[in-house]
Amino acid sequence: MASSVSTSSLFLLFFFATSLLLSNAFPAQHYPLHHHGRPRSAAHNYRDALTKSILFFEGQRSGKLPPNQRVTWRRDSGLSDGSAMHVDLVGGYYDAGDNVKFGFPMAFTTTMLSWSVIEFGGLMKGELQNAREAIRWGTDYLLKATAKPDTIYVQVGDAKKDHACWERPEDMDTPRNVLKIDRNTPGSEVAAETAAALAAASLVFRRTDPTYAKLLVRRAIRVFGFADKYRGAYSNGLKSFVCPFYCSYSGYQDELLWGAAWLQKATRNPMYLQYIQVNGQELGADETDNTFGWDNKHVGARILLSKAFLVQKLQSLRDYKGHADNYICSLVPGTPLSQAQYTPGGLLFKMSDSNMQYVTSTSFLLLAYAKYLTSSHQVVSCGGVVVTASRLRSVAKKQVDYLLGDNPLRMSYMVGYGPRYPQRIHHRGSSLPCIAAHPAKIQCSSGFSIMNSQSPNPNILVGAVVGGPDQHDNFPDQRSDYEQSEPATYINAPLVGSLAYLAHSFGQL
C-alpha cells in the first residue's frame, strides 16, 4: 500500500486531486524517470486520465444517488426497479448509453474493476477510495440480485422498448420488466460471472471492511454452486430478451472456469483448485480463442490461474503458464505466432462494434501478466523469440497512449481528457439537457430530434471511453453511430488498472 505522507503532502495531494476534477484537460506533465534502467518521460497525464476513468462510473449510476455524487447533472432514476416482481432492484449501473440494467456486463465490469484494484490499487493513492466506491455500487446491486437462493435477477428493463425511446434515465417511462434465472431457466454464464464479481470484490474489501468482504465471498460460493449445478445458457432460456444485446456466444464454460479461478483466489479452499484440475480441459483451458471481454473469459482465466502458478507457486497449475503464453504470443507484433490485427495507426483491432473494450481489456492483461513474470523472473518464448515483461508493458502503453490521443486523428477517445475528444457520444443522459436546464419531462420520442442533430452533447460525461475508431483509424463522431460512439462500463473497468500502473510508473502518483 501507499507509504505514509506528511500533512503538507496530503494537502498537496488533495489540492491536485481537486484541480484535476475541475479541469477538463489538465496539461500533460513530463516526468523523466529511470524505469527498468532507461530514462523515460510521459507524453500523457495518466493520473488525470485515471481520475476521469473512475469518475465516469458515477455518470452511469442508477438508483438513489448519494450526497457526494460528483457527476451533478445526473439525478435519481429507476427508484421502483424490481417492484414488478416484488423485489428491491434499485441501484447498479446502466451498462452503456441506454437505460437498461443488464446483469451480465454489470457483473463483468465489477470483476474487472476489482481486478484493477487487486493488482494496482496499491499505486492509486487518492483514487483508491473512489475505485472502491465504484466497485461497491456494483456489488451492492449484485447482492440484491442474488438474495434468493438459486435465483438471480439478471435484467431490469425491456431493451427493445427502451431502444425505441431516447429519454433521460430520470424520465424513464418504458417498462421495467424484470428477468431472472433459476433452476428451471438456468443461466450458468451470468451466474458464474456474478460469482466471479462477488469473489473478486471480497478481496478488495478484505482489509477495509471485513464484514462486507465475508458477505461477498459467502454469496459468491452459493451463486457459483448454483451456476455449476444447474448448467445451461441464459441466452437460450431468455433468448428473446437478452439477444442480440448481451447474448453469450462463447457458451458458459469460460465463465465456470473464470468463476472457479476467482473463488480459488478468494477462499483458498482446495475444493476449487480440484474443480479446476478436474474440469479445466472440459471448460476450455487450452482453447485458442484469444478475445477477452464481457462474453468470453477464457483468456482472463488463463492469466489469473498462471498467477497462482508463477506467484503463489501452485505447481498443479503449471500448464496455465503455457496457456497464457500462447495468448501473449498471438498478440505481440513481430513474433512468429502473432495473429493480432492492428490499424495503420497501431491500434489493436478485433471488431467494428465497440472495439475499444478489447483494447482496454487486452492492455490490462498484458500489464498484469508482466507483473507476474517480473515477480517470478520469467519470460515468454514465442517460437524462438523471447518476449520480456518490459516488452509486454510497452505494447500495453502504446495501446493506452493511442486511446489518449497518440493516433492519426490526434483525438482522445476518453471524453474530457485532452484538447480534442468525442463531442456527440451515443448516450441519452449526456445528449439531452439535464433536469436543471430543462425540468420538464422529455417524452419518449421527442428526444430523437436531439439524437439525430449535429449539436454537441450538453452534459460532458467525463472519463467515458467510446467504442473508438474503425480499422482505418477513422472516427466520424456521430451520435447515431453506437458501434463507435457509445461508451460502456466494461470499456473503462480494465483501463482503471492500466492507468494506475502507468501513472505510478511515470511518477505522477
Side-chain angles (χ1 to χ4, degrees), residues 110-125:
T110 306
T111 309
M112 292 310 296
L113 269 175
S114 298
W115 200 1
S116 286
V117 169
I118 288 162
E119 295 302 342
F120 303 113
L123 314 177
M124 288 181 185
K125 300 280 177 70

Side-chain angles (χ1 to χ4, degrees), residues 91-283:
Y93 288 112
Y94 303 114
D95 68 295
D98 54 27
N99 299 329
V100 184
K101 293 194 307 211
F102 295 99
F104 194 26
M106 198 194 307
F108 178 67
T109 293
T110 306
T111 309
M112 292 310 296
L113 269 175
S114 298
W115 200 1
S116 286
V117 169
I118 288 162
E119 295 302 342
F120 303 113
L123 314 177
M124 288 181 185
K125 300 280 177 70
E127 286 305 321
L128 179 56
Q129 185 53 33
N130 290 326
R132 283 197 197 108
E133 286 181 18
I135 293 164
R136 193 162 188 147
W137 197 266
T139 51
D140 281 351
Y141 178 82
L142 295 176
L143 287 170
K144 290 180 176 185
T146 57
K148 290 167 71 172
D150 294 348
T151 302
I152 304 179
Y153 297 97
V154 296
Q155 186 172 316
V156 182
D158 182 317
K160 292 184 178 75
K161 289 181 177 169
D162 178 88
H163 288 182
C165 290
W166 193 264
E167 59 188 356
R168 303 177 293 204
E170 294 83 0
D171 287 339
M172 265 190 298
D173 50 13
T174 48
R176 300 302 281 171
N177 301 2
V178 176
L179 299 182
K180 67 173 180 173
I181 54 171
D182 54 26
R183 297 178 187 186
N184 301 318
T185 311
S188 297
E189 66 279 80
V190 64
E193 181 59 65
T194 302
L198 296 166
S202 76
L203 292 162
V204 171
F205 295 104
R206 184 166 281 176
R207 285 199 182 90
T208 56
D209 191 342
T211 305
Y212 190 64
K214 282 174 189 158
L215 172 63
L216 292 171
V217 80
R218 280 198 306 270
R219 188 66 57 82
I221 290 165
R222 190 176 87 191
V223 170
F224 183 80
F226 164 64
D228 190 44
K229 185 175 179 182
Y230 300 98
R231 290 193 184 190
Y234 97 135
S235 299
N236 294 340
L238 300 174
K239 188 170 186 175
S240 62
F241 302 102
V242 302
C243 298
F245 313 103
Y246 289 101
C247 205
S248 177
Y249 299 99
S250 68
Y252 57 77
Q253 290 81 2
D254 52 309
E255 277 85 16
L256 288 175
L257 183 63
W258 171 245
W262 277 110
L263 276 158
Q264 190 278 322
K265 187 170 173 55
T267 67
R268 299 293 172 94
N269 186 326
M271 176 178 92
Y272 293 106
L273 194 56
Q274 187 182 4
Y275 178 93
I276 292 160
Q277 289 167 297
V278 171
N279 298 289
Q281 292 301 105
E282 179 205 337
L283 299 178

